[in-house]
Amino acid sequence: MINNKLTNPLSGGESKEPRQSNLEALRIAAMLLVLLIHFAHAHCSPSADSLQHSPGQTIANLCLRSISFVCVNCFILISGYFSIRWKPRSFFGFLFQVVFWLTLGTAMVKVFGFSQETSSLNACLSFVNGRWFVPAYIALYIISPILNEFINNSQTKNLGRYVLCFYIFSTLFGYLLVSDEFNGGMSLISLIGIYFTGAYLRREDSVFNRFSARQCFMSFSAIAVLLVVISTGLLTMGISKSIFGYLNPLIIIQSVFLFLTFRNLKIGNIKYINWIAASAFAVYLFHMHPLIRPHYTLTCKWISDQGAYAPILVILFFITIFIFCTLVDKVRIYIFDKVFKLISHKKVSLEISHR
């Protein structure tokens, strides 16, 4: 049986065993890649025309996409690897984190006059409805006991065969035939596939441990280069349709290699990495806030126009976002812990009084 003691990876829930800092570092790296992919999306999508007139910028944009599209997959691979454990504290902590950052983001743009949005409530609702990841992950959390039951009662070979069948179906119907149910990989069904993949990687730990972190990273990099070559070739032929997407089988394999890169690092238990990683999801909630995202995009465009200073500026920009979100999210954790303990204490008191 798989060791399933770790809880909700995105919410930084408590665990009964020490966190593995290698995969906590992956959580941080994945969030940096989220910032990076949205930095790339802040510009016009690469096209045959852009390749002809601005080949350097177009290829640079393709390079950013080729290394950062694995971000969401890596988050869910971590969830599947440890398995989500249904606990009210972790689940409501995740919901509280979403509400906290929606409220804080709205207050910030209103106080500083950054937004002319007439209805902040509608903007916040659009985040829950329009931004696919939060509702999809909540749904994954809710059905996780069913998924775990299937995983725990499946033999390793059968689980591997199921994952293979899932991705044959996903590639044919989701990626090639563009089925609406998959929504380009931005859906619950796609998260389920990645979740099962993470569980399978846990089952086959002894097999994948044979590969060094360096070998896995070289494989990740090789696929990134291949994606750029394929994209450039298609643009040269006048085909502007992007190959980048969460359902691209190359990107799914690339995600696994990046996961294994960090999984096979031997760095022990490093407290400051765990401390930062526990608040990594706050970075997503902050910069994807419907009232803040436009300003993030404008800042990314401004940085891109700064020539040789752009790489330094983007690093400083990302570090600033990470520091701000991490520190503020610790306040969120403190508030939730106090509120949850107070509610739990009152619940216990009521139970005792009714005996």
Side-chain angles (χ1 to χ4, degrees):
M1 298 294 289
I2 301 174
N3 190 334
N4 289 329
K5 292 184 179 179
L6 289 185
T7 60
N8 181 6
L10 288 183
S11 66
E14 294 179 359
S15 65
K16 295 182 179 180
E17 64 181 58
R19 288 181 179 272
Q20 300 183 43
S21 296
N22 50 358
L23 293 181
E24 294 304 305
L26 174 59
R27 202 189 312 280
I28 297 171
M31 186 50 62
L32 288 171
L33 293 179
V34 170
L35 292 174
L36 194 62
I37 191 61
H38 291 156
F39 178 86
H41 285 165
H43 308 81
C44 295
S45 298
S47 63
D49 186 63
S50 69
L51 181 64
Q52 182 179 356
H53 293 90
S54 306
Q57 291 183 359
T58 301
I59 293 176
N61 193 287
L62 290 174
C63 289
L64 293 181
R65 292 168 188 259
S66 71
I67 64 174
S68 58
F69 241 100
V70 300
C71 53
V72 171
N73 290 345
C74 286
F75 265 118
I76 305 304
L77 282 173
I78 297 172
S79 295
Y81 184 83
F82 290 121
S83 85
I84 297 173
R85 298 288 289 175
W86 176 263
K87 288 186 177 181
R89 181 187 182 91
S90 297
F91 180 65
F92 288 110
F94 177 69
L95 296 181
F96 181 77
Q97 186 179 28
V98 173
V99 173
F100 176 90
W101 281 100
L102 279 176
T103 304
L104 179 65
T106 302
M108 287 178 61
V109 295
K110 293 301 182 181
V111 169
F112 294 105
F114 291 157
S115 175
Q116 301 300 319
E117 175 70 45
T118 55
S119 176
S120 299
L121 178 60
N122 287 339
C124 292
L125 290 176
S126 73
F127 179 83
V128 177
N129 282 330
R131 300 298 177 187
W132 71 276
F133 184 78
V134 171
Y137 186 80
I138 291 174
L140 181 68
Y141 197 108
I142 291 173
I143 68 171
S144 62
I146 301 173
L147 303 180
N148 294 339
E149 189 71 17
F150 171 78
I151 292 168
N152 293 336
N153 289 288
S154 296
Q155 294 182 353
T156 302
K157 287 185 178 180
N158 289 337
L159 181 60
R161 289 168 185 161
Y162 178 83
V163 170
L164 178 61
C165 290
F166 178 92
Y167 280 113
I168 292 174
F169 175 71
S170 171
T171 301
L172 290 176
F173 288 89
Y175 186 63
L176 297 178
L177 298 180
V178 197
S179 172
D180 291 339
E181 283 74 15
F182 282 91
N183 191 31
M186 296 179 289
S187 62
L188 170 62
I189 188 172
S190 297
L191 296 191
I192 290 174
I194 296 292
Y195 187 85
F196 280 132
T197 304
Y200 178 73
L201 293 175
R202 180 67 177 251
R203 284 282 186 90
E204 294 286 21
D205 251 349
S206 60
V207 175
F208 294 112
N209 275 338
R210 299 173 187 173
F211 303 97
S212 68
R214 181 176 179 275
Q215 288 174 321
C216 294
F217 183 73
M218 292 299 293
S219 299
F220 164 83
S221 302
I223 296 177
V225 172
L226 179 60
L227 290 169
V228 173
V229 171
I230 294 174
S231 297
T232 305
L234 291 175
L235 294 179
T236 302
M237 292 186 290
I239 303 174
S240 295
K241 183 175 177 58
S242 175
I243 66 170
F244 294 100
Y246 298 120
L247 295 179
N248 185 330
L250 284 176
I251 290 177
I252 293 170
I253 295 171
Q254 186 188 28
S255 304
V256 171
F257 277 123
L258 185 60
F259 175 87
L260 292 175
T261 297
F262 282 84
R263 170 64 187 86
N264 294 341
L265 286 176
K266 309 300 181 183
I267 61 175
N269 183 28
I270 303 175
K271 290 184 178 180
Y272 73 85
I273 290 180
N274 302 346
W275 188 80
I276 295 172
S279 295
F281 190 56
V283 175
Y284 173 87
L285 295 174
F286 174 70
H287 89 280
M288 288 297 288
H289 190 289
L291 301 182
I292 292 177
R293 177 69 187 274
H295 302 285
Y296 176 83
T297 301
L298 288 175
T299 304
C300 291
K301 291 180 178 178
W302 178 84
I303 290 175
S304 297
D305 293 334
Q306 303 310 305
Y309 295 103
I312 298 175
L313 290 174
V314 74
I315 291 173
L316 293 175
F317 182 46
F318 287 178
I319 290 176
T320 301
I321 292 176
F322 240 96
I323 292 175
F324 170 77
C325 291
T326 300
L327 294 179
V328 174
D329 198 60
K330 297 309 173 186
V331 177
R332 186 270 310 175
I333 293 174
Y334 176 81
I335 294 173
F336 178 77
D337 285 345
K338 291 296 183 182
V339 172
F340 192 85
K341 287 179 181 178
L342 179 62
I343 293 175
S344 299
H345 179 72
K346 286 186 176 181
K347 181 180 178 180
V348 171
S349 299
L350 286 173
E351 290 175 351
I352 293 175
S353 65
H354 284 85
R355 287 177 182 176

